[in-house]
Amino acid sequence: MHHRTTMAGFAGALALSAIAVPASARADDFSGDIRITKVVVNGGKDIVLGTTAVKTFTIAVTATDDSGIEAGKTYPVMWHTPLPNGDAYGLVTPDDTAGKCVRQSFTTTTCTYTLKINPRIHVQDNTTAGTWTVRAHALADDGDYITKDSAAKAKVLRNSRLTVDASPEPVKKNRTITVTGALTRADWVTYKYGGYAGQSVKLQFRKKGTSTYKTLRTVTTDGKGNLRTTTKATADGYFRYSFAGTATTPGATSAGDHVDVK
């Protein structure tokens, strides 16, 4: 059973509860010359979730003001969909609201926060795969403040898996080989991996003794995510499938399946 994680549900626990209002509800709020200059989510990498494992990641917020930044008073939240009532669908907040702050100079400080996202709690369902928004707040030593609605964007994606099997093996030279496989991805409703239909996947081959795979053709997954094609056995080597990924699902590459050509 899914429970919507909303901004309002966490607001009372936030030291800076004012930032718990979704971006669609109001514009940036600031006073003075303070600025948020940089926000980095997960080191700049996508956040990829399966069906069970909790993902730990960081959000680093850099702010600057001529009087200096008050440590422990920056604060980010990450969410997916604004709702008409002022809440948000999907919400992740830091474990430690103070974070770990490092002064880069007298005027500039970077505070890093650790967050955890659980595929069985925070993402709610498959509609939240894709782009999430970070809202960040910072406070200066002279009282200047800023709350930035869309301080950064981050991708939260459904993990993908890809398999391959080339047969028969061994096989006589120039005979036909059938290469099958399956492309699946995490389902945040059933908590299982399901077939990813209608996706373009490259069949690649690496000749034994070389290090580079070459693309032979592009194959489209069927309604259950399965792959099937044929090719000629020309030399000993390894077949694999490679998927580039989509806006909601990361790329995947299968292990190479060795075929011995007689």
Side-chain angles (χ1 to χ4, degrees):
M1 180 177 179
H2 288 278
H3 300 278
R4 292 198 169 195
T5 306
T6 64
M7 294 288 187
F10 282 89
L14 297 180
L16 298 170
S17 60
I19 69 164
V21 181
S24 62
R26 65 181 189 184
D28 292 349
D29 184 21
F30 67 93
S31 174
D33 58 359
I34 187 174
R35 291 180 297 129
I36 292 175
T37 58
K38 189 176 184 180
V39 176
V40 178
V41 181
N42 197 35
K45 299 178 181 179
D46 294 339
I47 299 168
V48 179
L49 294 178
T51 58
T52 57
V54 175
K55 174 72 174 182
T56 300
F57 65 99
T58 60
I59 298 180
V61 180
T62 301
T64 186
D65 184 87
D66 59 3
S67 69
I69 300 299
E70 187 171 347
K73 293 300 178 66
T74 60
Y75 194 87
V77 295
M78 190 173 79
W79 53 275
H80 182 266
T81 308
L83 298 174
N85 67 352
D87 289 344
Y89 191 27
L91 171 69
V92 185
T93 62
D95 291 342
D96 179 5
T97 59
K100 295 182 179 179
C101 297
V102 177
R103 178 170 285 190
Q104 310 296 337
S105 67
F106 176 78
T107 60
T108 304
T109 296
T110 298
C111 292
T112 302
Y113 298 84
T114 299
L115 300 88
K116 293 179 180 179
I117 186 167
N118 188 328
R120 299 200 173 198
I121 298 175
H122 300 107
V123 295
Q124 312 293 302
D125 57 39
N126 294 322
T127 64
T128 59
T131 302
W132 288 47
T133 300
V134 174
R135 182 177 174 90
H137 176 87
L139 181 67
D141 286 333
D142 62 1
D144 290 352
Y145 64 87
I146 183 170
T147 302
K148 196 169 184 178
D149 270 328
S150 185
K153 299 291 185 180
K155 289 288 187 70
V156 179
L157 305 178
R158 298 164 63 182
N159 189 45
S160 59
R161 295 174 176 173
L162 189 56
T163 62
V164 68
D165 181 56
S167 63
E169 47 185 315
V171 64
K172 291 184 178 180
K173 188 173 183 178
N174 293 323
R175 291 293 180 88
T176 298
I177 286 182
T178 299
V179 187
T180 59
L183 175 64
T184 59
R185 61 175 176 166
D187 189 315
W188 295 336
V189 176
T190 65
Y191 305 127
K192 298 178 180 179
Y193 277 78
Y196 199 3
Q199 300 304 307
S200 295
V201 179
K202 293 180 180 179
L203 173 65
Q204 299 179 326
F205 178 74
R206 175 172 68 84
K207 188 176 180 179
K208 185 178 179 179
T210 67
S211 59
T212 303
Y213 276 91
K214 295 182 179 180
T215 298
L216 302 180
R217 67 189 60 176
T218 298
V219 186
T220 302
T221 57
D222 67 13
K224 295 183 178 180
N226 295 317
L227 293 156
R228 184 183 181 89
T229 190
T230 58
T231 188
K232 294 294 183 181
T234 59
D236 289 0
Y238 301 83
F239 288 93
R240 74 179 187 184
Y241 279 118
S242 182
F243 170 60
T246 64
T248 60
T249 308
T253 299
S254 70
D257 186 21
H258 180 260
V259 172
D260 183 16
V261 178
K262 301 294 188 181

